[in-house]
Amino acid sequence: MSARYELFRSNQNAHYYFRLKAGNGEIILQSEGYLNKDGAENGVESVRQHSPMDRCYDRKTSTAGQPYFVLKALNGQTIGKSQMYSSTYARDTGIESVKANG
């Protein structure tokens, strides 16, 4: 099974979201909320455009010490965020997966 995007609408706030799932079903990138479906679809297109570029990834560490990453557009706007990882190696592997599957 190959990676795929899921687009959905939240029942809690009626915003649209997308997530990129790896072939094994694990979520490797998730978006912030969009007011309409077109906005979320544009977000997916932005992932496709920016995910191959290493400079678009901010490698971060949470206040709890867990590594994660943020994918940003060239204008600095956040496109999506990863899950929290157990190590920087696992985070960097997640980045490579988004680069390959974005």
Side-chain angles (χ1 to χ4, degrees):
M1 177 185 234
S2 62
R4 62 179 166 51
Y5 289 94
E6 285 185 348
L7 186 68
F8 63 96
R9 188 172 189 186
S10 169
N11 291 331
Q12 293 178 338
N13 64 11
H15 287 179
Y16 288 86
Y17 296 84
F18 68 83
R19 52 188 164 217
L20 176 60
K21 287 189 164 186
N24 64 4
E26 184 177 329
I27 297 170
I28 53 177
L29 187 74
Q30 55 193 13
S31 74
E32 297 182 352
Y34 293 88
L35 295 177
N36 57 53
K37 187 176 180 180
D38 287 343
E41 289 171 343
N42 288 338
V44 168
E45 203 51 46
S46 190
V47 172
R48 289 185 173 126
Q49 178 184 357
H50 294 92
S51 62
M53 295 182 269
D54 192 66
R55 68 179 185 238
C56 292
Y57 293 88
D58 279 348
R59 292 155 175 87
K60 297 183 171 268
T61 303
S62 73
T63 55
Q66 294 177 292
Y68 69 102
F69 65 87
V70 178
L71 176 63
K72 292 188 174 185
L74 293 175
N75 66 6
Q77 185 175 1
T78 297
I79 302 169
K81 295 180 181 177
S82 73
Q83 65 180 351
M84 297 296 162
Y85 290 96
S86 59
S87 69
T88 56
Y89 175 80
R91 178 201 57 207
D92 293 345
T93 300
I95 289 171
E96 292 306 314
S97 182
V98 174
K99 285 180 181 179
N101 295 295

